[in-house]
Amino acid sequence: MTVTQLSTFVLVARLGSVGAAARTLDVSESAVSQALAALRTHFGDPLIRRTGGGGMRLTPAGARLLPVASRMVALSADAEAAVRAARGAPDELRVVATSTLAEFVLPSLVEAFACRSGRRTETSFGVAAGNEIRVLVENRLADVALGPYLGAARRGELVSEPLFRTQLVVVTGARAPRPPGPPPRWSWLVDASGTDPDADSGRLLRRLGVAEGHVWVFPNQAATWAAAAEGAGVAPALAHLVSPRIRRDELRVLETPATPSDATWHATVLQPEHRSPATDAFLHFLHTPTATRIMGAPGAGVPPSRFRPPVYVTLWGA
């Protein structure tokens, strides 16, 4: 039995599928299945069974193992941090963010933090959906999550602090006519956040009652705006990020019954007693004027074509 196997079991149990755990760890589904198989052999119990609806359910033994495994994964993270500190190794900082933040501001935030902090810090960052980032932080597989407010965690383990307030709007081509019919029947152009029920775009589509057949998913936010500018449909957008395209007369804001609406980015971390010095330093940096300028400056990140997030590849060395 290894910490990697236990981490994998915790992710499958918390996220509800082998596929979700594989995406979060950035490994193949077969690697996740192999880790689960090794644990099942070790304990002589299936631990998790598939249900008829395509979901997964813990066996009685799996239900008892889950909180213990979570504690063991957390203790392993504490042990690694203690050894790194004793060896004088650089601090480790793992940041995860929703797709919009990762596309526009996360690389610049991490770079600015490295320049200002003066700390020797090994930083990795990646992309995850709202339900995934909660699980990653709770189980010590990420140190900081940037995205929506995640609410109170089990046993009050998480802290979500507001960082930046903006507005969610809907845009269409500058010279495109208003789409016919009510908003639920429009063609909606979204990035991955549109499929995330915890993200601003996902919540907007749910509030408007947009059916899946009227949603088209693109690889990133910039691609949705380009398609909207060509008249392919309408796209949710954060006002301060899309404003340069509006000023260039490529897009215009289209009012809907649910927009404009307020949107806030949050930083989610563990309680202070469970945070590393690097996490505290980065959290402090996120509240500085420098970080606020980066979050408020459209296009401050790297171009999406060059964005290659190292999504937790180091976790498999646990």
Side-chain angles (χ1 to χ4, degrees), residues 273-301:
E273 62 269 23
H274 299 303
R275 299 200 294 254
S276 68
T279 300
D280 279 330
F282 187 62
L283 187 62
H284 173 75
F285 166 74
L286 290 173
H287 291 285
T288 63
T290 297
T292 300
R293 282 196 298 272
I294 291 172
M295 288 184 279

Side-chain angles (χ1 to χ4, degrees), residues 26-296:
D26 196 30
V27 299
S28 66
E29 291 190 21
S30 63
V32 172
S33 297
Q34 289 170 13
L36 282 180
L39 270 188
R40 286 164 168 159
T41 300
H42 178 83
F43 288 111
D45 189 271
L47 302 177
I48 301 177
R49 298 184 188 276
R50 294 186 183 276
T51 61
M56 308 195 81
R57 176 176 56 82
L58 292 170
T59 66
R64 291 197 176 193
L65 174 62
L66 181 57
V68 178
S70 295
R71 290 197 296 272
M72 293 176 71
V73 171
L75 287 172
S76 173
D78 289 342
E80 287 194 20
V83 172
R84 288 175 68 89
R87 290 191 294 108
D91 292 336
E92 185 179 36
L93 179 67
R94 299 160 300 173
V95 185
V96 65
T98 51
S99 58
T100 300
L101 270 154
E103 180 178 346
F104 288 97
V105 301
L106 180 55
S108 294
L109 282 174
V110 170
E111 182 179 359
F113 169 69
C115 293
R116 283 176 55 97
S117 69
R119 305 175 64 91
R120 292 194 307 144
T121 306
E122 292 181 357
T123 305
S124 61
F125 54 89
V127 184
N131 66 319
E132 296 169 347
I133 60 179
R134 170 193 287 279
V135 172
L136 287 168
V137 177
E138 283 181 340
N139 292 280
R140 312 289 185 89
L141 300 176
D143 301 302
V144 184
L146 302 180
Y149 174 69
L150 298 181
R154 289 178 293 274
R155 303 182 299 278
E157 291 176 348
L158 299 188
V159 176
S160 279
E161 298 185 358
L163 295 177
F164 188 87
R165 289 180 171 82
T166 183
Q167 281 196 318
L168 181 67
V169 297
V170 173
V171 295
T172 189
R175 279 163 284 283
R178 183 179 178 87
R185 300 190 63 81
W186 297 348
S187 291
W188 289 85
L189 317 174
V190 302
D191 66 347
S193 65
T195 65
D196 180 1
D198 293 314
D200 294 318
S201 295
R203 287 198 296 266
L204 171 63
L205 297 184
R206 192 166 62 249
R207 286 201 304 271
L208 291 174
V210 179
E212 184 175 318
H214 291 274
V215 178
W216 300 88
V217 182
F218 288 74
N220 52 57
Q221 187 86 89
T224 70
W225 298 343
E230 294 174 357
V234 303
L238 293 176
H240 74 290
L241 295 180
V242 78
S243 60
R245 292 174 183 257
I246 294 173
R247 289 196 297 269
R248 292 196 298 266
D249 202 30
E250 298 173 9
L251 297 168
R252 64 184 175 90
V253 174
L254 189 65
E255 290 192 5
T256 76
T259 57
S261 61
D262 293 334
T264 303
W265 288 340
H266 288 76
T268 300
V269 294
L270 292 169
Q271 293 285 350
E273 62 269 23
H274 299 303
R275 299 200 294 254
S276 68
T279 300
D280 279 330
F282 187 62
L283 187 62
H284 173 75
F285 166 74
L286 290 173
H287 291 285
T288 63
T290 297
T292 300
R293 282 196 298 272
I294 291 172
M295 288 184 279

